[in-house]
Amino acid sequence: MNINPKTYLQQWADRYKHDLTENIMPFWMEHGLDRVNGGVYTCVNRDGSLMDTTKSVWFQGRFAYVCAYAYNHIERKPEWLEAAKSTLEFIEKHCFDTDRHMFFSVTADGTPLRKRRYVFSETFAAIAMAEYSIASGDQHYAQRAIEVFADTLRFLNTPGFLQPKFESSVQLQGHSIVMILINVCSILRQVSNDERLEKQINESIDKLQRYFMHPEFKALLECVGPNGEFINTNMTRTINPGHCIETSWFLMEEARHRQWDKPLLNTALTIFDWSWDWGWDQEFGGIINFRDCKNLPSQDYAQDMKFWWPQCETIMLRSTPIWPQAMTNICSATSKSASGPMPTCPTRIIPNGMAICIATAPWRNPPKATSTKVRFTFRA
């Protein structure tokens, strides 16, 4: 049986839009939004009851971004814009320490609970500020996005500012911050022509290609040495397929911005092909959390689980069609979802798991080059 790609993608686009507007956003507007203190609760049970009033600062930024993005691209609902504003005001009032480094978690009223060595609170706050600036026309938040981004770079480049994870004898660099900065800069670029944005994107792409891509394993590694050296330990052999697929679509977005730059697109597709081969569960479907690049037993306790976000990252690759059965397995596991603990079992259908609806329409002008997986696409 042959399936028309445009029809297939449109069916899922319609389903995701329905899930977003009729299920996910209404659930979080009703049960997650804190109308007393501002911001959003991030530990909500499936029935909408609070499991914990602790607020993740990462998710304050993510929620504000989602609300502003939905307002800009899905439907101009005033309640979504107001939710973004409320959450950003909570961030500004409660989530920055005196040294401008953001907290990791706070109480319902904003009292700091924890501060960590990462800068992901900053990256998510920055994209939320930029997207809200587009939605509201408030240029103050465009400027704040650049200020937070500049602080992020300062924290990363100031020796000793961020508490090291290991002793000084261990010299490593990680994939996660390199890739997320591509996404951050691409969003901030919509509200600012600050030259640091383009510079950072180019630097991140160069690092991915020179250091993190390892053809000998056909893998993008999570940790490498200062010059991209492969280090043979349990931790540094780790492949995170979801992270790698996320990187792939960041690069595809950047290739599209560059009029489908062919070498960059090929890099994105290579990473996707490698990551799909490592991550796809041939028996149950879905993307597995972690693999070992030498096929040794992965040492992460969650290694054979399936969190919701890698499935969503895979669906994001909407310009690179994936086998219909594979997409059906992933989509079945992440649809009909508004709340609850993240699904971690290899079931094909999760009636009410947590997921974020991401794709709402296929790209109108897809690239000519596509993943090698396309040879199997839309055939049964």
Side-chain angles (χ1 to χ4, degrees), residues 33-93:
L33 192 63
D34 183 349
R35 301 180 188 278
V36 175
N37 302 294
V40 62
Y41 290 114
T42 54
C43 301
V44 183
N45 207 345
R46 295 173 186 239
D47 62 2
S49 61
L50 279 178
M51 297 187 292
D52 189 338
T53 58
T54 298
K55 291 176 177 175
S56 160
V57 175
W58 289 17
F59 279 89
Q60 302 307 304
R62 287 177 167 182
F63 181 74
Y65 175 78
V66 167
C67 290
Y69 188 91
Y71 181 87
N72 286 331
H73 297 278
I74 308 301
E75 188 175 345
R76 298 183 77 82
K77 286 193 171 185
E79 65 175 320
W80 293 352
L81 187 64
E82 183 56 36
K85 180 181 180 182
S86 168
T87 307
L88 282 172
E89 289 175 347
F90 182 86
I91 288 172
E92 290 279 50
K93 187 174 182 180

Short mmCIF file of all heavy atoms in Angstrom, two decimals, residues 33-93:
data_model
loop_
_atom_site.label_atom_id
_atom_site.label_comp_id
_atom_site.label_asym_id
_atom_site.label_seq_id
_atom_site.Cartn_x
_atom_site.Cartn_y
_atom_site.Cartn_z
N LEU A 33 -1.23 26.89 35.24
CA LEU A 33 -0.99 28.33 35.42
C LEU A 33 -1.30 28.75 36.85
O LEU A 33 -2.38 28.49 37.37
CB LEU A 33 -1.86 29.11 34.43
CG LEU A 33 -1.55 30.59 34.29
CD1 LEU A 33 -0.14 30.79 33.74
CD2 LEU A 33 -2.57 31.25 33.36
N ASP A 34 -0.33 29.38 37.48
CA ASP A 34 -0.49 29.87 38.85
C ASP A 34 -1.04 31.29 38.79
O ASP A 34 -0.30 32.24 38.51
CB ASP A 34 0.86 29.83 39.57
CG ASP A 34 0.76 30.26 41.03
OD1 ASP A 34 -0.30 30.78 41.44
OD2 ASP A 34 1.75 30.08 41.76
N ARG A 35 -2.30 31.43 39.06
CA ARG A 35 -2.95 32.74 38.95
C ARG A 35 -2.80 33.57 40.22
O ARG A 35 -3.28 34.71 40.26
CB ARG A 35 -4.43 32.55 38.59
CG ARG A 35 -4.61 31.79 37.28
CD ARG A 35 -6.07 31.60 36.91
NE ARG A 35 -6.21 30.72 35.75
CZ ARG A 35 -6.08 31.12 34.48
NH1 ARG A 35 -5.83 32.39 34.23
NH2 ARG A 35 -6.21 30.26 33.48
N VAL A 36 -2.15 33.01 41.22
CA VAL A 36 -1.90 33.75 42.46
C VAL A 36 -0.50 34.36 42.45
O VAL A 36 -0.33 35.57 42.66
CB VAL A 36 -2.07 32.84 43.69
CG1 VAL A 36 -1.70 33.58 44.97
CG2 VAL A 36 -3.49 32.30 43.76
N ASN A 37 0.49 33.53 42.21
CA ASN A 37 1.89 33.97 42.27
C ASN A 37 2.49 34.29 40.91
O ASN A 37 3.56 34.90 40.84
CB ASN A 37 2.75 32.88 42.93
CG ASN A 37 2.27 32.52 44.31
OD1 ASN A 37 2.33 33.33 45.23
ND2 ASN A 37 1.77 31.29 44.47
N GLY A 38 1.83 33.87 39.84
CA GLY A 38 2.42 33.97 38.51
C GLY A 38 3.23 32.73 38.19
O GLY A 38 3.51 31.89 39.05
N GLY A 39 3.62 32.60 36.97
CA GLY A 39 4.40 31.44 36.56
C GLY A 39 3.52 30.22 36.38
O GLY A 39 2.28 30.30 36.35
N VAL A 40 4.16 29.06 36.29
CA VAL A 40 3.43 27.82 36.03
C VAL A 40 3.93 26.73 36.97
O VAL A 40 5.12 26.63 37.25
CB VAL A 40 3.60 27.39 34.55
CG1 VAL A 40 5.06 27.09 34.22
CG2 VAL A 40 2.73 26.19 34.21
N TYR A 41 3.00 25.94 37.47
CA TYR A 41 3.37 24.76 38.25
C TYR A 41 3.86 23.68 37.28
O TYR A 41 3.32 23.54 36.18
CB TYR A 41 2.17 24.24 39.04
CG TYR A 41 1.76 25.14 40.18
CD1 TYR A 41 0.53 25.81 40.17
CD2 TYR A 41 2.60 25.33 41.27
CE1 TYR A 41 0.15 26.63 41.22
CE2 TYR A 41 2.23 26.16 42.33
CZ TYR A 41 1.01 26.81 42.30
OH TYR A 41 0.65 27.62 43.33
N THR A 42 4.83 22.90 37.72
CA THR A 42 5.44 21.93 36.80
C THR A 42 5.34 20.50 37.31
O THR A 42 5.91 19.60 36.68
CB THR A 42 6.92 22.30 36.57
OG1 THR A 42 7.60 22.41 37.82
CG2 THR A 42 7.04 23.61 35.84
N CYS A 43 4.63 20.28 38.40
CA CYS A 43 4.42 18.92 38.92
C CYS A 43 2.92 18.70 39.06
O CYS A 43 2.37 18.77 40.16
CB CYS A 43 5.13 18.73 40.26
SG CYS A 43 6.90 19.00 40.19
N VAL A 44 2.27 18.43 37.95
CA VAL A 44 0.82 18.32 37.90
C VAL A 44 0.43 16.89 37.55
O VAL A 44 0.96 16.32 36.60
CB VAL A 44 0.23 19.30 36.86
CG1 VAL A 44 -1.29 19.24 36.87
CG2 VAL A 44 0.70 20.72 37.14
N ASN A 45 -0.50 16.34 38.33
CA ASN A 45 -0.94 14.97 38.09
C ASN A 45 -1.91 14.92 36.90
O ASN A 45 -2.37 15.95 36.41
CB ASN A 45 -1.62 14.41 39.35
CG ASN A 45 -1.52 12.90 39.45
OD1 ASN A 45 -1.19 12.22 38.47
ND2 ASN A 45 -1.78 12.38 40.63
N ARG A 46 -2.24 13.71 36.49
CA ARG A 46 -3.08 13.55 35.32
C ARG A 46 -4.47 14.14 35.50
O ARG A 46 -5.12 14.55 34.53
CB ARG A 46 -3.20 12.06 34.96
CG ARG A 46 -1.89 11.45 34.53
CD ARG A 46 -2.02 9.95 34.35
NE ARG A 46 -0.72 9.36 34.08
CZ ARG A 46 -0.42 8.67 32.99
NH1 ARG A 46 -1.33 8.47 32.08
NH2 ARG A 46 0.79 8.16 32.83
N ASP A 47 -4.96 14.17 36.73
CA ASP A 47 -6.29 14.73 36.98
C ASP A 47 -6.25 16.23 37.23
O ASP A 47 -7.27 16.85 37.55
CB ASP A 47 -6.96 14.02 38.16
CG ASP A 47 -6.19 14.19 39.47
OD1 ASP A 47 -5.16 14.89 39.48
OD2 ASP A 47 -6.63 13.61 40.49
N GLY A 48 -5.06 16.84 37.10
CA GLY A 48 -4.92 18.27 37.29
C GLY A 48 -4.53 18.68 38.70
O GLY A 48 -4.25 19.86 38.94
N SER A 49 -4.49 17.74 39.62
CA SER A 49 -4.10 18.07 40.99
C SER A 49 -2.59 18.28 41.09
O SER A 49 -1.82 17.68 40.34
CB SER A 49 -4.54 16.96 41.95
OG SER A 49 -3.93 15.73 41.60
N LEU A 50 -2.19 19.11 42.04
CA LEU A 50 -0.77 19.38 42.23
C LEU A 50 -0.11 18.26 43.01
O LEU A 50 -0.58 17.87 44.08
CB LEU A 50 -0.58 20.70 42.99
CG LEU A 50 -0.68 21.99 42.18
CD1 LEU A 50 -0.51 23.19 43.10
CD2 LEU A 50 0.35 22.03 41.07
N MET A 51 0.99 17.75 42.50
CA MET A 51 1.79 16.77 43.22
C MET A 51 2.86 17.46 44.06
O MET A 51 3.31 16.92 45.07
CB MET A 51 2.44 15.79 42.24
CG MET A 51 1.45 14.96 41.45
SD MET A 51 2.26 13.68 40.45
CE MET A 51 3.11 14.67 39.23
N ASP A 52 3.27 18.65 43.63
CA ASP A 52 4.33 19.39 44.31
C ASP A 52 4.25 20.82 43.80
O ASP A 52 4.06 21.05 42.60
CB ASP A 52 5.69 18.75 43.98
CG ASP A 52 6.84 19.31 44.79
OD1 ASP A 52 6.73 20.44 45.31
OD2 ASP A 52 7.87 18.63 44.90
N THR A 53 4.38 21.79 44.69
CA THR A 53 4.31 23.19 44.26
C THR A 53 5.67 23.74 43.83
O THR A 53 5.77 24.91 43.45
CB THR A 53 3.75 24.07 45.39
OG1 THR A 53 4.57 23.93 46.57
CG2 THR A 53 2.32 23.67 45.72
N THR A 54 6.71 22.91 43.92
CA THR A 54 8.02 23.34 43.43
C THR A 54 7.93 23.67 41.95
O THR A 54 7.30 22.95 41.18
CB THR A 54 9.06 22.22 43.65
OG1 THR A 54 9.18 21.97 45.05
CG2 THR A 54 10.41 22.61 43.09
N LYS A 55 8.57 24.76 41.56
CA LYS A 55 8.55 25.18 40.16
C LYS A 55 9.93 25.06 39.54
O LYS A 55 10.90 25.64 40.04
CB LYS A 55 8.07 26.64 40.06
CG LYS A 55 6.60 26.82 40.41
CD LYS A 55 6.20 28.29 40.39
CE LYS A 55 4.72 28.44 40.67
NZ LYS A 55 4.31 29.87 40.78
N SER A 56 10.01 24.29 38.48
CA SER A 56 11.24 24.20 37.69
C SER A 56 11.42 25.50 36.93
O SER A 56 10.53 25.96 36.22
CB SER A 56 11.14 23.03 36.71
OG SER A 56 12.06 23.18 35.66
N VAL A 57 12.60 26.10 37.06
CA VAL A 57 12.86 27.36 36.35
C VAL A 57 13.04 27.10 34.86
O VAL A 57 12.65 27.93 34.02
CB VAL A 57 14.08 28.08 36.95
CG1 VAL A 57 14.45 29.32 36.15
CG2 VAL A 57 13.78 28.46 38.41
N TRP A 58 13.63 25.96 34.49
CA TRP A 58 13.71 25.61 33.08
C TRP A 58 12.33 25.71 32.44
O TRP A 58 12.16 26.27 31.36
CB TRP A 58 14.21 24.18 32.89
CG TRP A 58 15.65 23.92 33.19
CD1 TRP A 58 16.51 24.70 33.91
CD2 TRP A 58 16.40 22.77 32.78
NE1 TRP A 58 17.74 24.10 33.99
CE2 TRP A 58 17.70 22.93 33.30
CE3 TRP A 58 16.09 21.63 32.05
CZ2 TRP A 58 18.70 21.97 33.10
CZ3 TRP A 58 17.08 20.69 31.84
CH2 TRP A 58 18.37 20.86 32.35
N PHE A 59 11.34 25.14 33.13
CA PHE A 59 10.02 25.05 32.53
C PHE A 59 9.24 26.35 32.61
O PHE A 59 8.25 26.52 31.88
CB PHE A 59 9.23 23.90 33.16
CG PHE A 59 9.60 22.57 32.56
CD1 PHE A 59 10.64 21.82 33.08
CD2 PHE A 59 8.93 22.11 31.45
CE1 PHE A 59 11.00 20.61 32.51
CE2 PHE A 59 9.28 20.89 30.86
CZ PHE A 59 10.32 20.13 31.40
N GLN A 60 9.66 27.29 33.45
CA GLN A 60 9.05 28.62 33.38
C GLN A 60 9.34 29.22 32.00
O GLN A 60 8.44 29.74 31.33
CB GLN A 60 9.58 29.53 34.49
CG GLN A 60 9.36 29.02 35.90
CD GLN A 60 7.93 28.67 36.22
OE1 GLN A 60 7.02 29.48 36.08
NE2 GLN A 60 7.72 27.43 36.67
N GLY A 61 10.60 29.14 31.60
CA GLY A 61 10.96 29.65 30.28
C GLY A 61 10.31 28.88 29.15
O GLY A 61 9.81 29.45 28.17
N ARG A 62 10.30 27.57 29.27
CA ARG A 62 9.71 26.75 28.22
C ARG A 62 8.21 27.01 28.07
O ARG A 62 7.69 27.09 26.95
CB ARG A 62 9.95 25.27 28.53
CG ARG A 62 11.38 24.83 28.31
CD ARG A 62 11.56 23.38 28.72
NE ARG A 62 12.82 22.83 28.24
CZ ARG A 62 13.21 21.58 28.42
NH1 ARG A 62 12.42 20.74 29.09
NH2 ARG A 62 14.36 21.14 27.96
N PHE A 63 7.52 27.15 29.20
CA PHE A 63 6.09 27.40 29.14
C PHE A 63 5.80 28.76 28.52
O PHE A 63 4.91 28.89 27.67
CB PHE A 63 5.49 27.31 30.54
CG PHE A 63 4.00 27.52 30.58
CD1 PHE A 63 3.13 26.54 30.15
CD2 PHE A 63 3.47 28.70 31.08
CE1 PHE A 63 1.76 26.71 30.19
CE2 PHE A 63 2.09 28.89 31.12
CZ PHE A 63 1.24 27.90 30.68
N ALA A 64 6.54 29.78 28.94
CA ALA A 64 6.34 31.10 28.37
C ALA A 64 6.60 31.10 26.88
O ALA A 64 5.88 31.75 26.09
CB ALA A 64 7.24 32.12 29.07
N TYR A 65 7.62 30.35 26.46
CA TYR A 65 7.92 30.26 25.03
C TYR A 65 6.79 29.57 24.27
O TYR A 65 6.35 30.04 23.22
CB TYR A 65 9.23 29.50 24.81
CG TYR A 65 9.52 29.25 23.34
CD1 TYR A 65 10.02 30.27 22.54
CD2 TYR A 65 9.25 28.01 22.76
CE1 TYR A 65 10.26 30.06 21.18
CE2 TYR A 65 9.48 27.79 21.42
CZ TYR A 65 9.99 28.82 20.63
OH TYR A 65 10.21 28.60 19.29
N VAL A 66 6.32 28.44 24.80
CA VAL A 66 5.24 27.70 24.14
C VAL A 66 4.00 28.58 24.00
O VAL A 66 3.36 28.62 22.94
CB VAL A 66 4.91 26.40 24.90
CG1 VAL A 66 3.59 25.81 24.42
CG2 VAL A 66 6.03 25.39 24.74
N CYS A 67 3.64 29.29 25.06
CA CYS A 67 2.45 30.15 25.00
C CYS A 67 2.62 31.26 23.96
O CYS A 67 1.69 31.53 23.18
CB CYS A 67 2.17 30.75 26.38
SG CYS A 67 1.59 29.56 27.60
N ALA A 68 3.78 31.90 23.95
CA ALA A 68 4.02 32.97 22.99
C ALA A 68 4.08 32.43 21.57
O ALA A 68 3.55 33.04 20.64
CB ALA A 68 5.30 33.72 23.35
N TYR A 69 4.72 31.27 21.41
CA TYR A 69 4.83 30.68 20.07
C TYR A 69 3.46 30.27 19.56
O TYR A 69 3.12 30.48 18.39
CB TYR A 69 5.77 29.48 20.10
CG TYR A 69 6.08 28.94 18.72
CD1 TYR A 69 7.18 29.40 18.00
CD2 TYR A 69 5.27 27.98 18.13
CE1 TYR A 69 7.46 28.92 16.73
CE2 TYR A 69 5.53 27.49 16.87
CZ TYR A 69 6.64 27.96 16.18
OH TYR A 69 6.91 27.48 14.91
N ALA A 70 2.66 29.67 20.43
CA ALA A 70 1.30 29.28 20.04
C ALA A 70 0.49 30.50 19.63
O ALA A 70 -0.28 30.47 18.65
CB ALA A 70 0.61 28.53 21.18
N TYR A 71 0.65 31.59 20.36
CA TYR A 71 -0.04 32.84 20.02
C TYR A 71 0.41 33.35 18.65
O TYR A 71 -0.41 33.81 17.85
CB TYR A 71 0.24 33.89 21.10
CG TYR A 71 -0.44 35.21 20.86
CD1 TYR A 71 -1.74 35.44 21.31
CD2 TYR A 71 0.22 36.25 20.20
CE1 TYR A 71 -2.37 36.66 21.09
CE2 TYR A 71 -0.40 37.46 19.98
CZ TYR A 71 -1.70 37.68 20.42
OH TYR A 71 -2.32 38.89 20.20
N ASN A 72 1.70 33.27 18.39
CA ASN A 72 2.24 33.78 17.13
C ASN A 72 1.90 32.91 15.93
O ASN A 72 1.75 33.42 14.81
CB ASN A 72 3.77 33.91 17.23
CG ASN A 72 4.20 35.10 18.08
OD1 ASN A 72 3.48 36.09 18.17
ND2 ASN A 72 5.35 34.99 18.71
N HIS A 73 1.80 31.60 16.13
CA HIS A 73 1.74 30.69 14.98
C HIS A 73 0.48 29.83 14.90
O HIS A 73 0.22 29.26 13.84
CB HIS A 73 2.96 29.77 15.01
CG HIS A 73 4.26 30.51 14.87
ND1 HIS A 73 4.77 30.91 13.65
CD2 HIS A 73 5.15 30.93 15.80
CE1 HIS A 73 5.92 31.53 13.83
NE2 HIS A 73 6.17 31.56 15.12
N ILE A 74 -0.26 29.69 15.99
CA ILE A 74 -1.42 28.80 15.97
C ILE A 74 -2.72 29.58 16.02
O ILE A 74 -3.55 29.48 15.12
CB ILE A 74 -1.37 27.80 17.16
CG1 ILE A 74 -0.03 27.08 17.20
CG2 ILE A 74 -2.53 26.81 17.06
CD1 ILE A 74 0.31 26.29 15.96
N GLU A 75 -2.89 30.36 17.06
CA GLU A 75 -4.13 31.12 17.23
C GLU A 75 -3.85 32.27 18.19
O GLU A 75 -3.22 32.08 19.22
CB GLU A 75 -5.24 30.22 17.78
CG GLU A 75 -6.60 30.85 17.81
CD GLU A 75 -7.68 29.88 18.25
OE1 GLU A 75 -7.42 28.66 18.24
OE2 GLU A 75 -8.78 30.34 18.60
N ARG A 76 -4.32 33.44 17.86
CA ARG A 76 -4.01 34.62 18.67
C ARG A 76 -5.00 34.72 19.84
O ARG A 76 -5.85 35.63 19.90
CB ARG A 76 -4.02 35.87 17.80
CG ARG A 76 -2.96 35.82 16.70
CD ARG A 76 -2.90 37.08 15.87
NE ARG A 76 -2.22 38.16 16.56
CZ ARG A 76 -0.90 38.30 16.61
NH1 ARG A 76 -0.10 37.41 16.04
NH2 ARG A 76 -0.36 39.32 17.22
N LYS A 77 -4.84 33.79 20.76
CA LYS A 77 -5.70 33.76 21.94
C LYS A 77 -5.10 34.66 23.02
O LYS A 77 -3.97 34.43 23.46
CB LYS A 77 -5.84 32.34 22.48
CG LYS A 77 -6.74 31.45 21.66
CD LYS A 77 -7.08 30.17 22.42
CE LYS A 77 -8.15 29.37 21.71
NZ LYS A 77 -8.57 28.19 22.51
N PRO A 78 -5.83 35.65 23.49
CA PRO A 78 -5.31 36.56 24.53
C PRO A 78 -4.84 35.83 25.78
O PRO A 78 -3.87 36.25 26.41
CB PRO A 78 -6.50 37.48 24.82
CG PRO A 78 -7.31 37.46 23.57
CD PRO A 78 -7.18 36.07 23.04
N GLU A 79 -5.50 34.73 26.15
CA GLU A 79 -5.12 34.02 27.37
C GLU A 79 -3.73 33.41 27.23
O GLU A 79 -3.00 33.29 28.21
CB GLU A 79 -6.14 32.95 27.72
CG GLU A 79 -6.26 31.83 26.71
CD GLU A 79 -7.21 30.73 27.18
OE1 GLU A 79 -7.19 30.39 28.37
OE2 GLU A 79 -7.97 30.21 26.33
N TRP A 80 -3.34 33.01 26.03
CA TRP A 80 -2.00 32.47 25.83
C TRP A 80 -0.95 33.57 25.98
O TRP A 80 0.09 33.37 26.61
CB TRP A 80 -1.88 31.82 24.46
CG TRP A 80 -2.72 30.59 24.30
CD1 TRP A 80 -3.43 29.94 25.28
CD2 TRP A 80 -2.95 29.86 23.10
NE1 TRP A 80 -4.08 28.86 24.77
CE2 TRP A 80 -3.81 28.78 23.43
CE3 TRP A 80 -2.54 30.00 21.79
CZ2 TRP A 80 -4.24 27.85 22.47
CZ3 TRP A 80 -2.96 29.08 20.83
CH2 TRP A 80 -3.80 28.01 21.17
N LEU A 81 -1.24 34.71 25.41
CA LEU A 81 -0.31 35.84 25.52
C LEU A 81 -0.18 36.28 26.97
O LEU A 81 0.92 36.57 27.46
CB LEU A 81 -0.79 36.99 24.65
CG LEU A 81 0.18 38.18 24.52
CD1 LEU A 81 1.46 37.76 23.82
CD2 LEU A 81 -0.49 39.32 23.75
N GLU A 82 -1.30 36.33 27.69
CA GLU A 82 -1.28 36.74 29.09
C GLU A 82 -0.52 35.72 29.94
O GLU A 82 0.19 36.10 30.89
CB GLU A 82 -2.70 36.89 29.60
CG GLU A 82 -2.80 37.40 31.04
CD GLU A 82 -2.09 38.72 31.27
OE1 GLU A 82 -2.10 39.58 30.35
OE2 GLU A 82 -1.52 38.89 32.36
N ALA A 83 -0.66 34.43 29.62
CA ALA A 83 0.08 33.40 30.36
C ALA A 83 1.58 33.56 30.14
O ALA A 83 2.37 33.41 31.08
CB ALA A 83 -0.38 32.02 29.92
N ALA A 84 1.98 33.86 28.92
CA ALA A 84 3.40 34.10 28.64
C ALA A 84 3.91 35.29 29.43
O ALA A 84 4.99 35.24 30.04
CB ALA A 84 3.61 34.32 27.14
N LYS A 85 3.13 36.36 29.45
CA LYS A 85 3.53 37.56 30.19
C LYS A 85 3.64 37.28 31.68
O LYS A 85 4.62 37.68 32.33
CB LYS A 85 2.51 38.67 29.95
CG LYS A 85 2.84 39.97 30.68
CD LYS A 85 1.77 41.03 30.42
CE LYS A 85 2.09 42.32 31.16
NZ LYS A 85 1.04 43.34 30.96
N SER A 86 2.64 36.59 32.24
CA SER A 86 2.65 36.27 33.66
C SER A 86 3.88 35.45 34.04
O SER A 86 4.52 35.70 35.08
CB SER A 86 1.38 35.51 34.03
OG SER A 86 1.46 34.95 35.33
N THR A 87 4.21 34.49 33.20
CA THR A 87 5.35 33.63 33.50
C THR A 87 6.66 34.38 33.37
O THR A 87 7.57 34.20 34.18
CB THR A 87 5.33 32.39 32.57
OG1 THR A 87 4.05 31.77 32.66
CG2 THR A 87 6.39 31.39 32.99
N LEU A 88 6.76 35.24 32.37
CA LEU A 88 7.98 36.04 32.23
C LEU A 88 8.15 37.01 33.41
O LEU A 88 9.27 37.22 33.89
CB LEU A 88 7.96 36.81 30.91
CG LEU A 88 8.30 35.99 29.68
CD1 LEU A 88 8.07 36.80 28.41
CD2 LEU A 88 9.75 35.50 29.73
N GLU A 89 7.06 37.58 33.87
CA GLU A 89 7.14 38.47 35.04
C GLU A 89 7.59 37.69 36.28
O GLU A 89 8.36 38.21 37.10
CB GLU A 89 5.79 39.15 35.26
CG GLU A 89 5.46 40.19 34.20
CD GLU A 89 4.07 40.78 34.36
OE1 GLU A 89 3.27 40.20 35.14
OE2 GLU A 89 3.78 41.81 33.71
N PHE A 90 7.12 36.46 36.41
CA PHE A 90 7.56 35.61 37.52
C PHE A 90 9.06 35.32 37.39
O PHE A 90 9.79 35.38 38.39
CB PHE A 90 6.76 34.30 37.51
CG PHE A 90 7.09 33.37 38.65
CD1 PHE A 90 6.47 33.51 39.88
CD2 PHE A 90 8.05 32.36 38.49
CE1 PHE A 90 6.77 32.65 40.93
CE2 PHE A 90 8.36 31.51 39.54
CZ PHE A 90 7.72 31.66 40.77
N ILE A 91 9.51 35.04 36.20
CA ILE A 91 10.93 34.79 35.96
C ILE A 91 11.76 36.00 36.36
O ILE A 91 12.76 35.89 37.09
CB ILE A 91 11.18 34.43 34.48
CG1 ILE A 91 10.64 33.03 34.17
CG2 ILE A 91 12.67 34.51 34.14
CD1 ILE A 91 10.68 32.67 32.69
N GLU A 92 11.36 37.15 35.89
CA GLU A 92 12.13 38.37 36.16
C GLU A 92 12.16 38.69 37.66
O GLU A 92 13.18 39.14 38.19
CB GLU A 92 11.52 39.55 35.39
CG GLU A 92 11.70 39.48 33.89
CD GLU A 92 13.06 39.96 33.44
OE1 GLU A 92 14.08 39.50 34.01
OE2 GLU A 92 13.14 40.81 32.53
N LYS A 93 11.06 38.45 38.34
CA LYS A 93 10.95 38.82 39.75
C LYS A 93 11.65 37.83 40.68
O LYS A 93 12.21 38.23 41.71
CB LYS A 93 9.49 38.94 40.13
CG LYS A 93 9.24 39.49 41.54
CD LYS A 93 7.76 39.72 41.79
CE LYS A 93 7.51 40.30 43.19
NZ LYS A 93 6.06 40.53 43.43
#
